Amino acid sequence: MSKTRIFALLGVVIMLVAVFTNPSKEKINEKLSLKAKEILKKQLDYKHKDAVDLGMMLIGDQVVNEFVNNYTYTENYYLFSLAKINWNSEKITIGGGAFGQVWISSKIDEKAGMLIDALKR
């Protein structure tokens, strides 16, 4: 078998693996929710951890779900997926996923901070 055929078959195999292991929208939203909860806890910056945990149970989960459902969306390209945020008519890529893994960019810290500042006003 020639090298060209081997590389072509290898490329096809890699693409098939990428298609079948592309993370779902739910998995990406789960990672975004975890990151948003982490950001919200950091923004609250209370001294009493118990108060923060109680606040997160009562209000934080709702705010995080609101953020993920209303401001973020996922574009699926079959080989990989991109998570984007829609803020003030800007569409910014904040993460991606491929081969069963999800990566979240540090840009979400900046945009979530802007959203929390807007909510505090």
Side-chain angles (χ1 to χ4, degrees):
M1 207 187 279
S2 70
K3 288 182 182 181
T4 306
R5 283 189 182 179
I6 291 173
F7 285 124
L9 286 173
L10 185 63
V12 169
V13 168
I14 290 172
M15 287 194 309
L16 285 173
V17 169
V19 167
F20 289 114
T21 61
N22 190 21
S24 66
K25 180 179 179 178
E26 290 78 22
K27 186 172 182 178
I28 292 173
N29 283 349
E30 182 182 315
K31 283 280 198 172
L32 285 172
S33 294
L34 289 173
K35 183 67 174 175
K37 285 179 186 178
E38 177 185 313
I39 291 168
L40 188 59
K41 282 184 180 181
K42 192 186 311 179
Q43 288 284 333
L44 292 174
D45 194 31
Y46 287 112
K47 293 178 184 175
H48 302 290
K49 185 178 180 325
D50 295 334
V52 172
D53 290 339
L54 179 63
M56 286 299 294
M57 277 193 324
L58 296 175
I59 299 169
D61 288 338
Q62 182 181 356
V63 171
V64 167
N65 290 337
E66 218 32 63
F67 172 74
V68 171
N69 292 331
N70 294 331
Y71 295 103
T72 64
Y73 62 96
T74 303
E75 291 181 349
N76 184 354
Y77 293 101
Y78 298 107
L79 298 176
F80 61 93
S81 296
L82 293 177
K84 295 188 176 190
I85 189 169
N86 189 7
W87 177 257
N88 291 336
S89 301
E90 280 184 80
K91 294 181 179 170
I92 300 168
T93 303
I94 56 169
F99 298 105
Q101 300 295 317
V102 178
W103 299 277
I104 306 298
S105 169
S106 60
K107 288 182 184 179
I108 193 172
D109 294 333
E110 174 188 329
K111 295 301 174 184
M114 292 170 63
L115 177 65
I116 290 171
D117 289 340
L119 289 173
K120 284 181 181 178
R121 293 180 196 164

